[in-house]
């Protein structure tokens, strides 16, 4: 579904992605783990068309999407829930969700998307008229994921969905990610919480200072002594 080949990204003289290659197949949950500053958000930004790349290529459903504008990439069927949620605090839950469907014109399709999001997140349905800034951290995270789902993406990219959430909410968010995947959405997940990410994903890539250092199925990676030591806090 998605293929990245030899991608290089520079921010001025900082070489943030050093020729990375990775692949995501339809129906998978793939996680990308790595320490702070490894280049995880940059990878998502490049796929979403928000961060320009200097060389290499990204193809999605057979089309070259390298450096095309973000709205064109959303139209092709990808969507990003950014780190830090970035919901619009003064807008209501419903208005935030509506913005996620900005590429759609068909009213019936938009209401179907609302239905899907509200059935996944009943907490949002109870709060349609509440402004996003007054939601709890967990609810804002649900809203950010819900907004990304409003364009009915085939590939949903989630940047640190568990960041700053209490343990019970972390569990809930991960269960929701699994249900979204079971409904047919392919997922690329970035997480600091490597142990949770590896437990729900099929495959994973480890990013270290801009390079992919390990890749494989998530269960094998979770058992790898190097991953255990560096990312799971197990010695
Ligand atoms: P974190 O989990 O802390 O967000 P990350 O793995 O997502 O880390 P990136 O945010 O992709 O890492 O950053 C990769 C590298 O690129 C870092 O060295 C970072 O300082 C640098 N970087 C990121 N964004 C910019 C920018 N807009 N301008 C300059 N350097 C940047």
């Amino acid at each position: 579904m998605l293929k990245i080949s030899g991608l290089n990204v520079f921010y001025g003289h900082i070489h943030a992605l050093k020729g990375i290659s990775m692949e995501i197949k339809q129906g998978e949950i793939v996680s990308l783990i790595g320490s702070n500053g490894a280049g995880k958000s940059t990878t998502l930004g490049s796929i979403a068309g928000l961060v320009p790349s200097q060389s290499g290529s990204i193809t999605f459903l057979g089309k070259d999407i390298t450096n095309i504008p973000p709205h064109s990439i959303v139209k092709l069927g990808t969507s990003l829930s950014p780190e830090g949620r970035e919901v619009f605090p003064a807008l209501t839950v419903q208005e935030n969700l509506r913005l996620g469907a900005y590429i759609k014109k068909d009213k019936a399709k938009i209401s179907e998307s609302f239905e899907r999001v509200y059935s996944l997140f009943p907490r949002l349905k109870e709060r349609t008229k509440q402004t996003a800034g007054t939601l709890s951290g967990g609810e804002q995270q649900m809203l950010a994921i819900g907004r990304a789902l409003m364009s009915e993406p085939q590939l949903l990219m989630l940047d640190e969905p568990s960041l700053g959430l209490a343990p019970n909410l972390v569990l809930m968010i991960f269960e929701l990610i699994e249900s979204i995947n079971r409904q047919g959405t392919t997922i690329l997940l970035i997480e600091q919480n490597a142990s949770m990410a590896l437990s729900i994903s099929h495959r994973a890539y480890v990013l270290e200072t801009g390079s992919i250092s390990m890749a494989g199925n998530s269960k094998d990676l979770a058992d790898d002594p190097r991953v255990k030591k560096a990312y799971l806090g197990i010695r």
Side-chain angles (χ1 to χ4, degrees):
M1 173 179 259
L2 182 92
K3 194 165 184 176
I4 301 180
S5 308
L7 195 71
N8 280 290
V9 172
F10 292 84
Y11 296 107
H13 63 275
I14 297 171
H15 197 176
L17 294 182
K18 301 170 183 160
I20 67 160
S21 297
M22 57 188 285
E23 202 177 344
I24 302 172
K25 300 189 191 86
Q26 186 131 17
E28 284 189 310
I29 301 181
V30 171
S31 53
L32 184 59
I33 59 175
S35 331
N36 281 326
K40 304 181 299 296
S41 299
T42 301
T43 306
L44 289 200
S46 308
I47 301 169
L50 301 166
V51 175
S53 52
Q54 279 70 30
S55 65
S57 69
I58 308 173
T59 56
F60 177 65
L61 298 172
K63 293 192 183 73
D64 187 353
I65 60 163
T66 324
N67 294 329
I68 71 170
H71 66 269
S72 310
I73 296 176
V74 172
K75 270 195 186 136
L76 288 172
T78 69
S79 179
L80 169 68
S81 173
E83 183 175 358
R85 298 148 204 167
E86 296 185 19
V87 294
F88 297 98
L91 300 184
T92 65
V93 165
Q94 194 174 1
E95 288 162 345
N96 268 279
L97 290 176
R98 180 67 186 80
L99 285 175
Y102 71 96
I103 56 160
K104 290 193 189 168
K105 299 271 180 294
D106 185 338
K107 285 215 169 99
K109 287 246 160 62
I110 296 172
S111 14
E112 273 172 31
S113 303
F114 268 112
E115 283 310 309
R116 179 185 181 206
V117 169
Y118 285 144
S119 70
L120 274 164
F121 304 104
R123 295 262 284 261
L124 296 182
K125 192 171 186 177
E126 293 158 14
R127 292 167 171 77
T128 51
K129 298 279 182 298
Q130 191 172 328
T131 51
T134 62
L135 296 173
S136 73
E139 290 159 1
Q140 288 190 18
Q141 186 58 66
M142 293 175 201
L143 181 57
I145 299 175
R147 185 181 56 188
L149 283 173
M150 287 295 291
S151 62
E152 300 285 345
Q154 298 194 52
L155 173 68
L156 173 66
M157 300 187 280
L158 301 169
D159 195 345
E160 303 277 3
S162 79
L163 197 71
L165 299 185
N168 59 337
L169 281 174
V170 171
L171 211 61
M172 185 177 164
I173 291 288
F174 278 98
E175 281 170 8
L176 281 160
I177 296 170
E178 285 186 296
S179 339
I180 294 167
N181 177 250
R182 277 196 298 271
Q183 291 178 359
T185 311
T186 306
I187 290 174
L188 175 56
L189 172 66
I190 284 193
E191 262 299 332
Q192 292 272 331
N193 190 335
S195 123
M196 282 300 268
L198 291 175
S199 76
I200 68 159
S201 56
H202 304 104
R203 288 188 307 114
Y205 291 86
V206 180
L207 200 55
E208 267 177 56
T209 56
S211 303
I212 305 273
S213 59
M214 280 186 267
N217 84 52
S218 301
K219 196 174 172 312
D220 294 343
L221 284 175
D223 288 337
D224 186 294
R226 288 165 298 172
V227 173
K228 279 186 172 166
K229 186 161 178 257
Y231 302 104
L232 305 176
I234 306 169
R235 274 164 204 282

